[in-house]
Amino acid sequence: MKNKIFSAMLNWLQSTEMFARPSKQIPGKWQLVEYYVETGEELRNINEAQLKAENELWNIEFTEENKYYHQSNLPVWQISKIRNGNWSISKNFMTLTSSENTRNNIEFQFAIEKGRLKLLKKDALGRIEFFGFFNKLN
């Protein structure tokens, strides 16, 4: 299963859509529908049904003025430290900059593919701290 996930990640990292004017696609409201986290040697997948059953959520709004607002109760420590602030992109990286404390800034690799936002955060050893899939809300 782990190899399947890494193959999928390699495919989207190499996709050309990742570089197609994301600054125009990102603004709007996004809702987390699935995510992966690596704990120890185990890669855990939490799907949409599990999110609903556990009442877990992460909703995030990106404005055209490069502000973001979010609401989350995920039991993922990297996500729990995020505070509202500004967002910026450089190539295939998105940085969420906290307006309260720069220590709370977080950087993700990202891609938008077929209307789905994908955010990936790895640690220094390459383990997945968070890999989430978001659908855009109308």
Side-chain angles (χ1 to χ4, degrees):
M1 173 161 163
K2 210 172 188 180
N3 287 337
K4 183 179 175 184
I5 300 302
F6 289 125
S7 294
M9 285 192 317
L10 270 175
N11 287 340
W12 76 263
L13 284 172
Q14 295 171 349
S15 76
T16 56
E17 287 184 60
M18 186 168 52
F19 301 104
R21 309 267 315 147
S23 60
K24 299 294 182 196
Q25 297 175 47
I26 291 174
K29 295 180 181 180
W30 297 86
Q31 180 178 40
L32 181 70
V33 293
E34 180 178 15
Y35 73 96
Y36 293 84
V37 290
E38 194 168 348
T39 55
E41 295 296 317
E42 180 185 8
L43 183 63
R44 293 188 48 226
N45 172 240
I46 292 77
N47 62 32
E48 190 169 11
Q50 291 168 305
L51 283 169
K52 288 179 182 177
E54 297 292 324
N55 289 320
E56 292 181 7
L57 63 90
W58 187 13
N59 296 327
I60 189 164
E61 179 180 4
F62 298 100
T63 70
E64 291 183 11
E65 295 79 29
N66 292 75
K67 301 274 187 204
Y68 74 90
Y69 306 94
H70 84 113
Q71 178 185 15
S72 175
N73 65 357
L74 294 183
V76 178
W77 77 272
Q78 283 286 0
I79 307 307
S80 67
K81 74 178 193 176
I82 296 175
R83 301 292 177 256
N84 295 336
N86 297 309
W87 64 275
S88 62
I89 55 173
S90 177
K91 297 186 182 180
N92 67 325
F93 288 91
M94 174 186 286
T95 302
L96 302 180
T97 306
S98 171
S99 55
E100 297 173 5
N101 185 341
T102 57
R103 291 183 184 165
N104 291 332
N105 293 355
I106 188 167
E107 185 176 69
F108 294 96
Q109 280 187 274
F110 81 97
I112 297 177
E113 187 176 279
K114 297 178 185 171
R116 182 169 270 195
L117 174 65
K118 300 173 184 181
L119 296 178
L120 173 64
K121 173 76 176 137
K122 290 183 177 183
D123 68 11
L125 298 174
R127 291 182 297 234
I128 297 171
E129 292 181 339
F130 179 82
F131 185 33
F133 301 84
F134 296 78
N135 286 340
K136 198 164 198 176
L137 299 173
N138 295 330

